[in-house]
Amino acid sequence: AQAAAVRLLADGDQGPDARVESMFEAILNARPSGPERDELVTFVQDTARHLSAAGEEQAELRAWAMACHALFASSRFQLLE
């Protein structure tokens, strides 16, 4: 999840919506629905804000890593068709 987040953040030109799109395509080979995208963007922004307030130096990276981890742990990732 950490390595996936590093790759996501390597393209500094992407905004959070585009990063979620890239994350879904890389991890799930699918596009997120509108609500999925909105929820993940909100999660990342809120988490980064809380981590930063707690003194985390790499708050944004850690927040994106947590979002990537959530997708890796999802049933959509684990389901083999």
Side-chain angles (χ1 to χ4, degrees):
Q2 182 84 10
V6 167
R7 283 193 301 272
L8 273 177
L9 294 174
D11 185 3
D13 293 338
Q14 285 189 329
D17 289 342
R19 282 192 180 130
V20 169
E21 295 274 341
S22 296
M23 183 174 61
F24 260 75
E25 288 188 24
I27 295 173
L28 300 176
N29 196 29
R31 298 192 64 161
S33 67
E36 287 173 327
R37 184 183 54 250
D38 295 344
E39 286 179 29
L40 270 175
V41 167
T42 299
F43 169 79
V44 168
Q45 290 172 341
D46 290 348
T47 301
R49 189 172 31 258
H50 289 292
L51 290 171
S52 183
E56 175 71 38
E57 290 182 18
Q58 296 184 327
E60 184 178 17
L61 174 61
R62 189 157 171 224
W64 281 105
M66 292 169 80
C68 289
H69 188 262
L71 288 186
F72 286 129
S74 72
S75 62
R76 286 173 66 182
F77 178 77
Q78 297 174 10
L79 183 66
L80 297 176
E81 292 184 7

